[in-house]
Amino acid sequence: MKITGTFLDEISHNIPHQNWGEKEWDRDFQAMKTAGIDTVIMIRCGHKRFITFPSQCLIQRRGCFEPPVDLVDMFLRLSDKYDMKFFCGLYDNGCYSKPWQMGALIEELDDVKTVAEELWGNYGHHKSFQGWYLNREISISKENPESLPEIIEHTQKLGSFVKDISGNLPTMISPYISGVKKGSPDNVTSLEEHARIWEDILAAFEGAVDILAFQDGQCDYDELPEYLALNKEIADRHRMTSWTNCESFDRDMPIRVLPIKWEKMRLKLEAAARVGIEKAITFEFSHFMSPYSMYQSAHGLFDRYMEYISEQ
Amino acid sequence: MKITGTFLDEISHNIPHQNWGEKEWDRDFQAMKTAGIDTVIMIRCGHKRFITFPSQCLIQRRGCFEPPVDLVDMFLRLSDKYDMKFFCGLYDNGCYSKPWQMGALIEELDDVKTVAEELWGNYGHHKSFQGWYLNREISISKENPESLPEIIEHTQKLGSFVKDISGNLPTMISPYISGVKKGSPDNVTSLEEHARIWEDILAAFEGAVDILAFQDGQCDYDELPEYLALNKEIADRHRMTSWTNCESFDRDMPIRVLPIKWEKMRLKLEAAARVGIEKAITFEFSHFMSPYSMYQSAHGLFDRYMEYISEQ
Amino acid sequence: MKITGTFLDEISHNIPHQNWGEKEWDRDFQAMKTAGIDTVIMIRCGHKRFITFPSQCLIQRRGCFEPPVDLVDMFLRLSDKYDMKFFCGLYDNGCYSKPWQMGALIEELDDVKTVAEELWGNYGHHKSFQGWYLNREISISKENPESLPEIIEHTQKLGSFVKDISGNLPTMISPYISGVKKGSPDNVTSLEEHARIWEDILAAFEGAVDILAFQDGQCDYDELPEYLALNKEIADRHRMTSWTNCESFDRDMPIRVLPIKWEKMRLKLEAAARVGIEKAITFEFSHFMSPYSMYQSAHGLFDRYMEYISEQ
């Protein structure tokens, strides 16, 4: 199972910035191409007051800062150049933090739709503009059960909307398992709860969400095969395509976060292959797997991964 | 607005050490010079038992460890060589931690004065020895209101003393706003509280403190312009020079701490320029902005910054 | 006092992985040799489900994952090549976490013995296989006093066993002082408590443990000389050899963990030399002292250390 897609973590809320200019990004896209990556997913187009392109909506209505560089334009030009598919993430106002403000997501829906229209209007002509990333990371954590219907409604409405304006481009989500590596033990859900609740969520998403790419790092390594199989089964039932978001950072270390040990990544990739997942993407190449990453252990991960795929 | 000064973070209490020898420091001073830096500020001359020069006072009275290298001597020779101004930080016994020991700062004042005399006696002949840094980082946090008068008295007395012994060399402080990025929400002060209390503090500092260089990273980015304008106004009223301490590390990330994203630094520099701040310094070049930093994203920050100033 | 031994931190539970292949490890062994290292200690042969060699016992009885590379084989070949002594660490099921499961260590003893037999059977013919590392890090923290007898029994039995099967190869432990840098103030033991309890522990270990290599980073720098002298005295009384585990990472920083400042390491080495400690090892060369480490400040530490030993 090869990794053929990666997130682009701009604007980040928890991964320190590499301070790359276009020359460095071009070099990194070239490395992605060498590694077999054909899809890049911009994780969001804005977070709180920082934005990736000069959105008039976000600058005027939400006081966002005029960005020094139009990253969306740059990423699309590089995607065109290296013949990749670009999935476009949307706006995140940062309101997911506790205490949950009920209604906040629905209130922001109008703005997010306007931003999607701006994105499609400005950049839809690029041949690489091939999909949307619905960037709310959904989980069924027991912490905020009352917020779940709102998140579902938000993603469902947004998915339908962006498909409508873009000639039905595919939409992707990347939720996470409410597993042992996420927060307190009280929030961990059982496999049965996961199955039951996600059955309902994916039923609600039919027609709005095309690709399901669960994050693979929230449960323990020995639990992953069961979750992968189950997620694939529910996705199949609701006619969604199954990808795996094979995280390339290590969740088991006190430094949050550095590149993962290759052995762990290999284990997760092979588990995904065994249940017939169609494509593996990663969060994310440029920090955690790139030969140009600021973290030198990413260079090692790149070398180990390239050896591995050359032996397949 | 260009960055023309930097702290030298020796002895550090929270930034991991780069293990540089004189060759590496010389190379770094050369990079500072290239970037337009004309002022270096040694953040302190000792912290707890670790010291930057073989102070007899600190070794005998406080059991400090004999240092393997005389860093003060080295920094002054390099400052002479690269035609920079050196501001000398003083001793910090580490007693600021909770629970606050009332009187501890005043008790240590005699020792700190003796250390200042040693510094001036040993190194005052260097042409680059051009100022003092009064290194207690003052804040008006609501956590320890009863400790504030003591810190003010300490800094006021120390400022007057070092000016007296050194022919009135300028003194600098770099306090911080008690803002949303500092500790618990209970400690955050309003703009009004900040204005009122800092008015009193700067009144007390007249004649003892010449330069006010507030840290710019404790409040949110959209609040910074108001704080910069207010601080400049109070400083003007009390005949102090206004600098900004434009932090080059990122306070928004779980890894504490790595280089800041260039976009954020640019935003802060331009906000300072708009209110007429006279000079920007940073904490600090060698870890967070240097092409030789152990953190590779600092190399990117250096490149982005150099592009930026070449376009001005 | 030179550092002539290092741990090899495979499998790690808290130090991010460098993703090295055999080429990178060979290069690092060469650097160790240059620095005067003659002993390498593999910290453990397995941790939870991750293992360093294809142990049938661990794969079948404990569901461990088949490893992609046989690291024990590789480390022994490199140790043979560079004429080093290899100490072999044992299995750690990760059960030391709270709440303490009484009996868990004794229950796993059978499996750990079987793993030791596998190790000796597979690799005992290597000329570099020269000792065992009993990898439970014992402390007398007040947190779990009732667990101490169990840990002692476990290490004592395991030490006797591996000596028996291997023609009396030496065994080493590396416990830690329950000092100010370890957990809450409630757990800190006094020098007197340390002396009394460790007297009893080492008495129990006679015949099972040959080498005592206390970690040197859990107490404050000014307390270390007394602890080193005391530990040497107790070890002498029980006919054990005294080494010091001179930690090369910095325990004083918010980033957990990066290379230590050279000044601190020098201080600790010289304190050990003064009380007649026979050998210094470190945790560990490859991340924190190597010119090839992913952390650039390790390159500086290597340079400072090499300058230091060339001046002795």
Side-chain angles (χ1 to χ4, degrees), chain A residues 17-86:
Chain A
H17 205 264
Q18 309 211 64
N19 286 311
W20 285 353
E22 179 149 350
K23 195 180 72 178
E24 289 85 1
W25 275 112
D26 192 315
R27 185 180 66 177
D28 211 54
F29 268 68
Q30 216 172 314
M32 291 176 198
K33 192 78 187 172
T34 305
I37 284 174
D38 57 28
T39 305
V40 292
I41 304 117
M42 189 175 70
I43 198 155
R44 57 187 75 84
C45 73
H47 182 244
K48 295 182 180 171
R49 291 181 190 266
F50 290 96
I51 55 183
T52 54
F53 77 106
S55 158
Q56 290 316 301
C57 167
L58 292 172
I59 291 168
Q60 284 161 19
R61 292 197 213 159
R62 294 188 164 261
C64 289
F65 304 123
E66 183 90 27
V69 174
D70 184 333
L71 288 166
V72 180
D73 175 68
M74 185 189 77
F75 286 141
L76 279 159
R77 284 187 288 103
L78 291 172
S79 300
D80 288 348
K81 178 175 176 184
Y82 290 102
D83 198 23
M84 295 181 183
K85 289 178 175 152
F86 178 86

Side-chain angles (χ1 to χ4, degrees), chain B residues 271-283:
Chain B
R274 273 196 298 276
V275 301
I277 298 283
E278 292 171 48
K279 185 182 180 79
I281 60 175
T282 189
F283 181 89

Side-chain angles (χ1 to χ4, degrees), chain C residues 128-195:
Chain C
S128 59
F129 200 131
Q130 293 285 329
W132 299 95
Y133 173 56
L134 306 170
N135 53 283
R136 287 282 159 194
E137 296 180 17
I138 301 164
S139 90
I140 56 169
S141 158
K142 293 170 178 170
E143 215 172 344
N144 285 309
E146 69 282 12
S147 69
L148 191 56
E150 185 177 338
I151 302 176
I152 294 171
E153 181 186 345
H154 178 271
T155 293
Q156 190 277 330
K157 286 193 169 152
L158 199 55
S160 300
F161 181 80
V162 294
K163 290 181 75 65
D164 276 356
I165 64 169
S166 64
N168 206 33
L169 282 188
T171 52
M172 199 241 290
I173 58 171
S174 188
Y176 59 90
I177 296 158
S178 199
V180 291
K181 298 190 189 176
K182 191 69 192 176
S184 73
D186 294 346
N187 293 331
V188 176
T189 48
S190 68
L191 200 70
E192 289 66 33
E193 290 169 303
H194 180 91

Side-chain angles (χ1 to χ4, degrees), chain C residues 177 210 274 299:
Chain C
I177 296 158
D210 299 299
R274 274 196 299 275
H299 313 181

Side-chain angles (χ1 to χ4, degrees), chain A residues 10-11 13-21 24 49-50 65-68 255-257 293-296, chain B residues 221-222 250 252-255 258-264 266-267 295-298 300-301 303-304 307:
Chain A
E10 302 273 346
I11 304 292
H13 74 98
N14 60 359
I15 308 290
H17 205 264
Q18 309 211 64
N19 286 311
W20 285 353
E24 289 85 1
R49 291 181 190 266
F50 290 96
F65 304 123
E66 183 90 27
I255 298 189
R256 309 287 304 253
V257 293
S293 164
M294 68 196 226
Y295 302 127
Q296 284 193 40
Chain B
Y221 297 95
D222 59 304
D250 203 315
D252 308 328
M253 297 291 148
I255 298 189
L258 293 183
I260 201 170
K261 185 181 189 178
W262 163 239
E263 179 179 2
K264 296 176 179 175
R266 198 192 68 148
L267 207 64
Y295 302 127
Q296 284 193 41
S297 50
L301 185 55
D303 292 341
R304 298 293 82 72
E307 286 169 10

